[in-house]
Amino acid sequence: MANNDWWKSSIGYIIYPESFCDSNGDGVGDLGGIIEKLDYLSALGANLLWIGPIFDSPMDDNGYDVRDFYKINPLYGTVDDLKTLLHKAHEKGIKVLLDLPINHTSDEHAWFKKALEDPSSPERGYYYFLKGKREGDRLLPPNNWAGFFSTSAWENIPGTDDFYLHLFTKKMPDVRWDNPELREKFYEIARYYLDLGADGFRIDAMAHIAKDTSWSDSALVNPNGGPVLDPSKFSNRAEMFGYLNEFNEKVFSKYACLTIGEAGGSIQPKESLKLVAHEGGPLNMVFNFDTVWNNGNFDSIDKKDEDIWTDLFQLRFNFMHWYEALHDKADMPLYWCNHDHPRVLSQYGSTAYRNESAKMLFQTLLFMYGTPFIYNGDEIGMSNANYASLDDFSFDRCAVNAIEDFKKRGYDEQTIIHYMNRTSRINARTPMQWDRSENAGFTKGKPHIKINDNYLQGVNVMDEMCDPYSILNFFQYAIGLRKNPIYNDAVNNGPLQWVDPNHPDVLAYLHDGATKLMVISNFRPYTVYFTFYYDIKDVLLHNYEGVILNDHVITLRPYESFLLLVR
Ligand code: GLC
């Protein structure tokens, strides 16, 4: 492993700053809170942080709407706090990635304000302004595109026929990467933070920075009527690759940094190689979304809970599809969940088997090919929020828009609440549960969003630290094993293959090199059987007591999972 491949033996940890730890009692997490918890993160074994966006923002999209890239969000602290954080993290051998939204700014950004004020200003050319279409006395948007947050992708500027493009909230106008001057602005921003000591970036919404500038209507039809979401119009388009090559040439290549792009819009592994191949890729890795919703939960308002079922065939296909295309040519991150998804414990695991399923899911991910990322709170088995009212979801514009849309389509309130509790990204954004004191030790003030009550039932860091069989202690021990150079080498160099790939309930894989590492995981809340023809040399990790093995048939209890050394 070359020195510049340090992330191949790193354990990532995703911090959602708003809800991680509040050091000043204003009810919102902050940089001081992250600094306080560096010892905790280090003891856990995390050594690569991705911290959600911390720049000045009106918080219409929780910080992804940046008002000033050169100022730290006062809710989170100051640039000196960031410097302290970077310094202290580095002292502990922890690298820090900042989250850099490059597809849009806030409408309160000085560029956008100038663009509105003065249509002849250079800033006007930083955004997409188009004339709407006149139909009689009606003014329609320039085309039928919808954005990602359940609205048209266009917003009219009152009193004019002009519209601007926004793929996310209407307070987040998209910027024009086809404008070289705009690109330079982002290069400067990136250099500023790298010079300050950041170790790189998670590049937000990167997949969408090039658009189909013919602006033609999408041929897709929205079955519910209205604008249609058609990522082919603005995701992973040819020009995006060129922009990122230039970004690398002018910035990333000049620093020893790590870059991980967010590659939504269904990027294919082969295509992603153009971005991340060791030979010539402008970035180091991309986060794909393929292993996140493999239970039919996405867009599932018409489904019953019983229909939500982890599809191991799909999961296997998605992992292997990426592994096969990338493993000898590129690196990749692994994750089950981030701040945009429901909690993985509620998604692929079970609150009825919190301890077993949280451990099983982590173990399954940790030893796959790639750099694993833990989402904050997964290490203590945090689960979905379970809110009682639609107002509880008002904290997220994406949820608010979706709720409005469902109401328009005639869904009743209870159905919407139930669906949001199952799928909303708010589920992952409730405060981190540190102990059983008031507000789970997250804040001494009034939390900005409701805390999950289960912190009183042991789902908190302090209680788990004291329990030798806790999820937290399992994570810590498992991470230690994953970092063992022998196992790390087996994970990185495989070759990786499925064991019994037709099993409907068990996901099992083998790194079949000199050290043979095998993971066997039951994804079901009931007992299943698994036949396997290897000799067990050692049980390295296991989330139950005792092994039930009869003549090569293992009995796997609910969510039982093994990490084995075999021959
Ligand atoms: C990314 C972020 C998400 C945000 C969106 C717009 O997908 O992860 O939270 O809403 O981009 O910036």
Side-chain angles (χ1 to χ4, degrees):
M1 195 172 66
N3 278 341
N4 57 2
D5 272 5
W6 52 267
W7 51 86
K8 290 185 98 127
S9 55
S10 296
I11 302 295
Y13 188 93
I14 308 170
I15 293 182
Y16 182 70
E18 206 175 4
S19 297
F20 188 65
C21 179
D22 174 20
S23 69
N24 65 359
D26 66 357
V28 182
D30 48 41
L31 295 178
I34 301 175
I35 294 169
E36 272 176 28
K37 298 299 179 187
L38 284 173
D39 282 336
Y40 163 78
L41 294 169
S42 170
L44 176 64
N47 51 6
L48 169 59
L49 306 183
W50 150 19
I51 302 178
I54 54 168
F55 315 111
D56 180 38
S57 161
M59 302 296 269
D60 191 52
D61 188 25
N62 309 80
Y64 284 96
D65 49 320
V66 178
R67 180 163 46 204
D68 183 349
F69 286 95
Y70 290 101
K71 186 174 166 203
I72 302 301
N73 189 334
L75 281 172
Y76 295 158
T78 62
V79 74
D80 285 334
D81 296 327
L82 176 61
K83 284 187 195 159
T84 307
L85 167 58
L86 293 171
H87 179 72
K88 294 206 164 167
H90 292 161
E91 274 182 348
K92 296 180 195 305
I94 298 176
K95 309 253 190 197
V96 179
L97 304 183
L98 299 182
D99 199 332
L100 185 64
I102 65 169
N103 175 68
H104 39 257
T105 67
S106 163
D107 66 344
E108 297 182 29
H109 194 289
W111 302 336
F112 192 71
K113 290 210 239 160
K114 189 80 203 272
L116 287 188
E117 252 164 52
D118 178 3
S120 63
S121 63
E123 285 80 358
R124 186 80 174 186
Y126 291 6
Y127 298 90
Y128 296 101
F129 289 99
L130 256 77
K131 294 265 177 247
K133 291 184 202 156
R134 283 263 164 215
E135 264 182 22
D137 53 5
R138 285 175 61 211
L139 177 63
L140 301 175
N143 62 30
N144 67 351
W145 298 2
F148 289 105
F149 287 175
S150 319
T151 64
S152 162
W154 298 97
E155 185 67 17
N156 177 235
I157 301 167
T160 74
D161 279 10
D162 294 334
F163 285 74
Y164 63 86
L165 181 74
H166 63 91
L167 295 184
F168 296 91
T169 80
K170 66 180 180 195
K171 280 183 65 62
M172 298 160 80
D174 282 47
V175 292
R176 294 192 65 144
W177 275 75
D178 57 354
N179 179 341
E181 198 176 304
L182 179 281
R183 298 205 292 276
E184 289 298 334
K185 297 281 177 197
F186 275 94
Y187 302 158
E188 267 167 45
I189 294 163
R191 280 187 206 109
Y192 172 78
Y193 284 102
L194 291 169
D195 288 337
L196 217 67
D199 298 290
F201 302 104
R202 179 261 188 182
I203 308 176
D204 178 68
M206 176 204 82
H208 315 302
I209 60 175
K211 333 281 178 190
D212 174 359
T213 50
S214 77
W215 306 115
S216 56
D217 274 341
S218 164
L220 302 181
V221 175
N222 180 344
N224 306 308
V228 60
L229 179 64
D230 180 355
S232 74
K233 295 288 185 189
F234 40 70
S235 301
N236 305 308
R237 296 184 63 86
E239 298 80 0
M240 173 194 77
F241 298 91
Y243 302 147
L244 293 169
N245 280 328
E246 188 184 84
F247 207 153
N248 179 45
E249 227 169 79
K250 295 200 168 178
V251 185
F252 305 142
S253 62
K254 316 274 188 231
Y255 294 82
C257 65
L258 169 64
T259 50
I260 315 184
E262 188 199 19
S266 310
I267 194 166
Q268 290 303 304
K270 288 234 160 74
E271 219 185 346
S272 84
L273 280 175
K274 287 194 255 167
L275 296 173
V276 297
H278 295 141
E279 298 301 320
L283 306 178
N284 299 111
M285 305 194 255
V286 288
F287 279 109
N288 74 75
F289 293 13
D290 290 1
T291 48
V292 175
W293 294 99
N294 294 182
N295 58 356
N297 198 13
F298 190 76
D299 208 9
S300 63
I301 193 158
D302 296 321
K303 289 187 189 164
K304 300 199 180 70
D305 289 351
E306 304 83 84
D307 300 335
I308 307 300
W309 188 246
T310 309
D311 181 342
L312 295 187
F313 293 92
Q314 211 182 338
L315 210 47
R316 267 189 288 257
F317 174 82
N318 286 330
F319 273 125
M320 199 46 92
H321 186 51
W322 279 87
Y323 169 76
E324 278 173 354
L326 264 62
H327 74 276
D328 48 357
K329 302 184 189 70
D331 302 325
M332 56 184 271
L334 293 165
Y335 72 111
W336 282 130
C337 156
N338 64 30
H339 64 293
D340 288 333
H341 310 114
R343 284 276 173 188
V344 67
L345 188 107
S346 307
Q347 178 89 323
Y348 294 158
S350 157
T351 48
Y353 291 97
R354 183 182 306 277
N355 190 298
E356 295 80 0
S357 65
K359 292 174 179 174
M360 179 283 280
L361 288 165
F362 185 53
Q363 172 161 302
T364 308
L365 189 81
L366 189 64
F367 292 90
M368 288 290 296
Y369 175 78
T371 302
F373 277 80
I374 300 164
Y375 181 66
N376 57 195
D378 284 352
E379 75 274 28
I380 51 168
M382 283 179 65
S383 49
N384 281 355
N386 209 10
Y387 285 149
S389 123
L390 282 181
D391 291 341
D392 294 332
F393 293 92
S394 57
F395 152 92
D396 177 22
R397 173 70 45 199
C398 169
V400 170
N401 289 0
I403 290 168
E404 260 173 47
D405 189 51
F406 287 129
K407 282 186 178 161
K408 266 193 232 148
R409 286 160 55 192
Y411 289 96
D412 64 74
E413 196 163 317
Q414 281 317 311
T415 306
I416 304 177
I417 292 176
H418 188 79
Y419 172 69
M420 297 307 282
N421 273 323
R422 201 172 68 201
T423 58
S424 160
R425 61 187 196 167
I426 286 189
N427 287 306
R429 297 180 177 199
T430 63
M432 180 73 188
Q433 297 164 197
W434 294 103
D435 56 42
R436 53 171 68 214
S437 69
E438 206 183 352
N439 301 324
F442 160 69
T443 179
K444 297 237 174 320
K446 182 176 173 318
H448 69 104
I449 175 176
K450 263 197 201 165
I451 298 183
N452 194 322
D453 289 345
N454 64 17
Y455 75 92
L456 292 167
Q457 284 107 50
V459 186
N460 68 70
V461 170
M462 193 53 90
D463 280 349
E464 295 214 10
M465 273 182 174
C466 301
D467 169 8
Y469 298 104
S470 68
I471 301 167
L472 182 61
N473 280 314
F474 182 93
F475 267 57
Q476 192 181 25
Y477 184 75
I479 289 171
L481 281 177
R482 174 66 177 74
K483 286 185 177 168
N484 174 322
I486 297 173
Y487 305 142
N488 184 53
D489 185 65
V491 167
N492 280 312
N493 297 313
L496 175 68
Q497 66 189 53
W498 297 121
V499 183
D500 194 355
N502 292 318
H503 203 298
D505 304 314
V506 176
L507 195 104
Y509 59 82
L510 172 69
H511 292 286
D512 198 10
T515 303
K516 294 192 191 311
L517 268 188
M518 186 184 282
V519 170
I520 304 175
S521 294
N522 176 11
F523 269 68
R524 305 300 177 208
Y526 47 75
T527 296
V528 301
Y529 301 95
F530 186 75
T531 308
F532 93 129
Y533 297 99
Y534 295 84
D535 289 330
I536 299 177
K537 262 171 87 176
D538 207 350
V539 178
L540 298 178
L541 261 177
H542 184 201
N543 59 352
Y544 271 82
E545 278 184 23
V547 178
I548 311 175
L549 179 64
N550 260 324
D551 230 6
H552 288 106
V553 179
I554 300 194
T555 302
L556 294 167
R557 289 158 282 187
Y559 299 102
E560 187 162 358
S561 176
F562 288 93
L563 173 70
L564 303 174
L565 263 186
V566 298
R567 69 177 140 227

